[in-house]
Amino acid sequence: MASRIGKVTRRTLLVGAVAVAGGAAFGVWQIRRPLDNPLAPERGATLNPFLIIDGDGVTIITPRAEMGQGIHTTLAALVAEELDVAWEQVKSWHGPPSASYFNGALMHAALPVAEYAMTGWQTALAETLGRASRVLGLQVTGGSTSTVDAYERLRLAGAGAREALKAVAAERLGVEPAALSTADGHVIAPDGIRLPYADLAEAAATRPVPQPELRDPSQWRLLGRSLPRLDMVAKVTGTAEFATDIKLPGLKCAALRLCPHLGGGMEGFDPAPALAVAGVEEVIDLGDGVGVVARNTWAAMQGAAAVEVTWTPSPLPQDTDAMLARIAEAFEGRHNSRMRNDGDPEGALAGAAPLEVEYRVPFLHHSTMEPMSATAWLHDGQLELWCGNQAPRLHVDRAADAAGIDPADVTLHTTYMGGGFGRRAESDFTHYAAKLAAALPGTPIRLTYSREEDMAHGFFRPAAIARMRGAVADGRAVAFDAQVAAPSVSQQAIGRMTGRRMGGPDKGHVEGLFDQPYAIPNCRVRGYLADLDVPVGFWRAVGNSQNAFFHECFIDELAHAAGADPLAFRLRHIRERHAPSARVLEAVAEMSDWGNPPEGHAHGVAFTFSFGTPTAQVVELTDTGRGLKITRAWIACDPGRVLDPAIVRAQMESGLIYGLSAAVTGEITFAEAAVEQRNFPDYDALRMHTAPRITVRILEDTPHMGGVGEPGTPPAAPALANALHALTGTRARSLPLKHHAEFIV
Amino acid sequence: MTTLRVNGTEHETDAPGDTPLLWVLRDELGLTGTKYGCGVASCGACTVLLDGDAVRSCTLPLDAVAGAVTTIEGVGTPEALAPIQAAWARHQVAQCGYCQPGQILQAAALLRETPSPSDDQIDDAMAGNLCRCGTYPAIRAAIHDAARALSEA
Ligand code: FES
Ligand code: FES
């Protein structure tokens, strides 16, 4: 079933200029109209789509995916701040899929301009587009947008509810609302009488929603402080429920075996060897593979491995070299985008001795700690689905389609997820769980991908090639020309979501390259889309993840060509463009005592402006004699106003470690169009003994609020590669770095 | 029938003897706090204690389980956190949380052997426990903190 959300997504989210026209066309009444409330609590009262009050306390609806980034805590704090409830009284619930939980900030990223340079009218336009998102009902977690989107909306939800509760209390007490105060879940009268919110909620729910003023940040009690995360106790006691933990009467466990040759198919299979495995009960034909259902997951996985399957080959180039050759061919065609074209790059390069180099990065896997998983149960024509996901309404549609029922007959429970990093924006696991459940009506099916199947069926960060040219004069870059070729994540992922291929310039493909605040007079960035259908998807920081590596290593090369210190060279170009960006570089220089690494150690620096947050990192590397070790790292970032410093710090550390892991060892390769890596032994990551000691400093000078889940990742790889150059003189122009030097493992 | 002692309770199971302990715990006994990450002893998500020692339950066949098993459910509860869990909460360690039951049990085994571990000892003991969210700095701080709390107890 081609989803209704899907079509509007394609039209508005991606085609930059068209979205502008489409956004402006929506009537104002639709945008200001109160949100429909999808909540229908069995007890207590709901005052708006974000709030349920009952005798047990206050439940705040936090309708974004909790992948570990702490978003439930921050969203709940936004409501609680204005509502005046004690943090200990707050519970959070993800809530049902609903258009009322649209993500307005997503549209921001669709504008074809560099974010640091957004002018007033562009910001206003982005806000218009955000309202369009509301009308379209895009409930999505991604692009580091959740907090930005919620900042006003959830505080207003809290403040509106507080005022409605006060109005009811004022009537009951026969006083003016202005005479009342609120604290800890009570309205307090001038004489000290305390009325609990629970006693007022039902009456308050029937009143028109007041339009209160929001409090000044100087009055905040919760926001701006590091709060105990709402999910912490569950996660340290093993009681947090992931999709693989669902328990239901009569539940069976399932595993998959899908065609390893990506894009290939299944000719036939013999279930007998699987059925011979103790505990296996069913072997189900899924069209492009088989599902095995058993009494436990172990039996299901053994059974899935035992099925004898005849696969058909893949039409894709068969190995990594052939795929990279296909990517390189894209340079021969016309560019898809030229998002930056300042001055006369060709002229400037012709007059100088240009530096001309090529960079490459490999395909990468998300490798979330919890493999893909979902639990589904078809009973009485209704499908119940439990899964972690980043776009609930999309999963409902996908499950309905797989089970052959109406989306209205699907109930989705969004669980905690054991890591997302963009992987759970896809819905393959929901599709297979729903298919298995539909094949066995009445039996709840808990599907867990084996690590090997998860690894084989990723939606990879694309491999990419960059051709960089540049020239320096008098200690400055005078020309910068970047061309990047890769399969298009946006085209593919949106195609999967909507069944339609998008057109137009692909901004995500060149983000991190065209939109960096460096003042270089002759500067051009062109993107080329490779005709290669290896499944690719949104990997933490998306285009920035590879483009920052190209950009920031090449800037380092230009600095060396100019005979300049790499950090001073960056500052020289950034200061005049964007002051907050310069300040994070200055901060990281001071923190790391840049220029004076300890004996036997070397420092590398990189800077990226992504998701609204300028972020600079210095990485320290040393040779232990038994291999290179990343000893320390310093991060300075400026996400604008910070709502929870501990969460920002944790996300920065996490993003850095994720980026460094990929930089040192991350690489997906192919043979017969099948992924060669199978499990953590051949797709590893940093661990306790290989992760650096990290220091984070958070600045709050950026005028707009930026994201924090992704900006820590892009500078990590180039900072490390630049440190490697500083330590050994090796200029690594490809990843992973384990092919250039020996690292401690 | 095999008899297993888990968190102080005897359980009977008729699962085949070659079934890894992980899946007996999760799918047969419903103790889902122990997680599956790799199945090949390379990530530590499935770590449980066997007579106090950390073991990878994903590669330990049921018939080879000789001793008392402790899972995360046996360490403490939301209402009554064990000191090590309280340290984890103080340092706000968990992000996605999926690796944390394994991390906590691995750290518990470390602290039993080495009540006041150095950074190097933490590195050695925890190297087998992967965390894709990169919570290592917080885990290290929580282990030091738990060591202090336990020594004062
Ligand atoms: S699941 Fe046992 S070590 Fe990974
Ligand atoms: S907290 Fe997510 S894998 Fe460790």
Side-chain angles (χ1 to χ4, degrees), chain A residues 67-68 235 242 367-370 417-419 421 654, chain B residues 93-100 103 129-136 139:
Chain A
M67 301 174 271
K235 286 178 176 178
F242 297 85
S367 78
T368 56
M369 201 71 215
E370 179 195 25
M417 50 204 86
F421 316 125
S654 171
Chain B
V93 173
Q95 290 190 23
C96 84
Y98 195 78
C99 73
Q100 298 299 341
Q103 305 276 8
N129 290 71
L130 196 60
C131 173
R132 283 294 279 156
C133 298
T135 62
Y136 307 118
I139 292 173

Side-chain angles (χ1 to χ4, degrees), chain A residues 181-192:
Chain A
S181 62
T182 46
D184 291 348
H186 290 75
V187 177
I188 303 165
D191 59 2

Side-chain angles (χ1 to χ4, degrees), chain A residues 437-516:
Chain A
L440 297 169
T443 304
I445 301 293
R446 188 167 79 200
L447 169 65
T448 309
Y449 284 41
S450 66
R451 176 59 60 188
E452 290 79 7
E453 280 297 314
D454 182 280
M455 196 65 82
H457 296 282
F459 292 86
F460 308 101
R461 196 288 302 276
I465 305 174
R467 293 184 176 164
M468 313 292 288
R469 297 191 301 159
V472 293
D474 303 326
R476 290 192 60 124
V478 292
F480 179 101
D481 182 44
Q483 293 171 274
V484 60
S488 166
V489 172
S490 324
Q491 279 196 354
Q492 253 204 37
I494 301 303
R496 279 192 294 274
M497 290 175 192
T498 66
R500 307 270 291 270
R501 202 133 175 135
M502 75 175 250
D506 181 349
K507 179 183 173 185
H509 185 77
V510 288
E511 65 188 0
L513 261 178
F514 87 92
D515 50 0
Q516 297 305 299

